[in-house]
Amino acid sequence: MTRSLRRDLYAAGAAALLVTAAVVVGRHIQDTRHTLFVHWPPVFADWDPHVGPGTPAALAVAAATVAYGPAVAARLPWRGLLAVAWASALAWILSLALIDGWHRGIAGRLTTSNEYLRVIGRFHDIPATLRDFTHHIVSGTPDPWPAHIAGHPPAATLTFVLLDRIGLRGGGWAGMWCITVGATGCVAVLVALRALADETLARRAAPFLVLAPAAVWQGTSADGYFAAVAAWSPALFALALTRRSHVCAVASGLLSGLTCYLSYGLTLFALIAAAVLALGRSGLRERPALLLSLLAGLAVFPVLFTLAGFDWWQAYHLLVTRYYQGVGGTRPYGYWVWANLACTALITGPATAAGLRRTTTVLLPRPDRTHPAETRLALLVTAALLALLVADLSGMSKAETERIWLPFALWLLPACALLPRPRAWLAAQAILALLLNHLLLTGW
């Protein structure tokens, strides 16, 4: 065993120890003080060993990706690889969700008391509801919004309102929307990696983006949908800079604006966008007008929502009040500030822990550096890690980060492209995801 591989295993082991500590300490705090408000800390889940109709499919997808994923990713034509990556990610997310059964795993997820489909009837007059949206964020106001609606800008809920309006009603359609769109997130990251680093690294990252343990929470979680929208924004920005494309710049701006109206916390994607800009700055120097196209697209959703009467800043400040009125004001910061990172270790898996170690090594100054593409990948991953750490330190994400931080987790997974022996690491990723979904009943 080489020294580098031993260090990779140490990094994976350190991640496992962090998770173990979070479980042990979390159980003690919850049993003695009852202040965590999760049944199986650090994740929001219940201990419930089970199998389901998705079990055979999940095992088959995992086995096929481990056995053939690296070779297929290396040989397929690029566009074919993107299609296969999306289809494989879709199969992986869907099969994991179906381990819990159709209703419990998909159709019922977005219909519970705190979820978006419970308030569709209150959006019969969309402009009036947007004007009145902020009046129902704080607890104690007339008809306060359920937690998830109050905790997000209205574009999140409007997505499901519009699905209902076009006839795609109910939890089944909403769940499949989140799964289908959410599976495109891995494609967006691959597009960005090819544009900013190189195609070889993107191909090496592909199986890890498909077989991520994060898929356990991507299934029918609205945050999986948010993650995909957020991922396409920097991906299109990367294409805009490398192809000098005004169309991609406008599209990137549009999705950036939409992202900010899906989740307040995803404004931190500005850090990833800044890394993309730094890596593709030559394109901007050659065509500075790309920035104007980006800003034009970026302005669309803020202008539309503001004209409709929704004040983003006011809503955010009211959300902070609502957050501390609820369990967010009771959950101990001293535990969650590091237990959140244990949640991240679970959704990104042991391979990512080892990959992040190699990312650090790549960024260290060395006179014999000969792989600039690896450095560019490492900078992109580091920007995502920085955004996640800022979210952690803010204290506005105490618990449930295995779901809330899915958008950031997608951009940590490319670190796995730096690992040798990909099949062994892929197997570890798959085993973790299968154990999580078969032993725990996850929720949000």
Side-chain angles (χ1 to χ4, degrees):
M1 183 184 298
T2 65
R3 178 184 298 180
S4 185
L5 180 57
R6 277 199 302 272
R7 290 175 177 174
D8 291 340
L9 294 174
Y10 292 154
L17 288 175
L18 177 64
V19 172
T20 302
V23 172
V24 173
V25 175
R27 283 269 23 121
H28 174 73
I29 294 173
Q30 182 63 13
D31 291 343
T32 58
R33 303 178 193 172
H34 311 290
T35 56
L36 298 188
F37 298 96
V38 293
H39 297 156
W40 204 88
V43 297
F44 191 80
D46 292 289
W47 180 259
D48 182 21
H50 62 287
V51 295
T55 297
L59 290 171
V61 172
T65 306
V66 171
Y68 304 109
V72 170
R75 295 171 186 168
L76 275 179
W78 177 250
R79 291 185 180 180
L81 172 61
L82 296 182
V84 169
W86 172 77
S88 300
L90 178 64
W92 180 234
I93 297 168
L94 183 60
S95 62
L96 288 173
L98 287 173
I99 290 171
D100 297 333
W102 169 255
H103 179 76
R104 191 167 70 168
I106 296 177
R109 288 287 193 179
L110 294 170
T111 63
T112 57
S113 59
N114 286 320
E115 284 290 358
Y116 303 96
L117 268 62
R118 296 300 290 265
V119 301
I120 285 179
R122 293 174 63 175
F123 279 76
H124 60 277
D125 184 340
I126 291 176
T129 306
L130 290 177
R131 287 193 298 272
D132 197 43
F133 192 89
T134 56
H135 298 152
H136 304 283
I137 293 177
V138 177
S139 294
T141 55
D143 297 320
W145 296 117
H148 286 186
I149 291 82
H152 294 83
T157 309
L158 275 178
T159 299
F160 301 102
V161 171
L162 295 176
L163 285 175
D164 183 82
R165 292 282 177 90
I166 64 173
L168 303 181
R169 299 183 177 91
W173 284 111
M176 289 306 300
W177 165 267
C178 291
I179 289 174
T180 305
V181 176
T184 70
C186 73
V187 179
V189 177
L190 290 176
V191 167
L193 290 177
R194 184 180 187 240
L196 297 173
D198 71 9
E199 187 172 316
T200 299
L201 285 174
R203 289 176 179 276
R204 286 164 58 180
F208 291 97
L209 284 159
V210 166
L211 212 59
V216 173
W217 287 271
Q218 282 179 288
T220 68
S221 163
D223 292 87
Y225 154 55
F226 303 161
V229 175
W232 277 108
S233 174
L236 289 169
F237 190 28
L239 289 180
L241 293 173
T242 54
R243 296 183 179 180
R244 301 1 175 211
S245 168
H246 286 282
V247 172
C248 289
V250 172
S252 174
L254 277 170
L255 291 182
S256 293
L258 176 58
T259 297
C260 294
Y261 282 81
L262 290 172
S263 173
Y264 297 103
L266 294 185
T267 53
L268 289 171
F269 256 66
L271 293 172
I272 299 176
V276 172
L277 178 59
L279 294 172
R281 59 188 179 276
S282 61
L284 190 62
R285 281 198 299 265
E286 292 181 16
R287 188 169 286 188
L290 288 171
L291 187 58
L292 295 177
S293 297
L294 176 76
L295 294 175
L298 180 61
V300 171
F301 282 103
V303 167
L304 288 176
F305 277 99
T306 301
L307 290 176
F310 174 74
D311 187 328
W312 192 96
W313 284 106
Q314 180 191 28
Y316 175 72
H317 289 301
L318 291 170
L319 166 64
V320 174
T321 301
R322 170 70 178 263
Y323 182 77
Y324 285 101
Q325 286 177 324
V327 297
T330 304
R331 284 171 167 160
Y333 180 86
Y335 171 76
W336 287 111
V337 74
W338 61 272
N340 283 338
L341 302 180
C343 293
T344 303
L346 281 173
I347 64 176
T348 57
T352 304
L356 289 175
R357 184 204 73 80
R358 287 185 176 255
T359 296
T360 304
T361 302
V362 166
L363 291 176
L364 292 175
R366 284 185 359 216
D368 60 339
R369 186 168 310 284
T370 58
H371 300 290
E374 292 185 355
T375 303
R376 296 164 75 84
L377 180 146
L379 288 171
L380 198 59
V381 169
T382 301
L385 180 60
L386 178 61
L388 185 147
L389 291 175
V390 172
D392 188 30
L393 293 173
S394 74
M396 289 295 290
S397 298
K398 288 182 285 190
E400 301 178 57
T401 52
E402 67 274 10
R403 167 184 59 83
I404 298 169
W405 288 355
L406 286 173
F408 305 118
L410 281 182
W411 294 87
L412 299 181
L413 293 166
C416 300
L418 302 175
L419 295 172
R421 303 184 183 182
R423 286 187 178 85
W425 288 110
L426 280 169
Q429 298 284 88
I431 290 169
L432 174 60
L434 291 166
L435 287 174
L436 287 170
N437 217 140
H438 282 92
L439 295 178
L440 300 177
L441 178 62
T442 58
W444 41 82

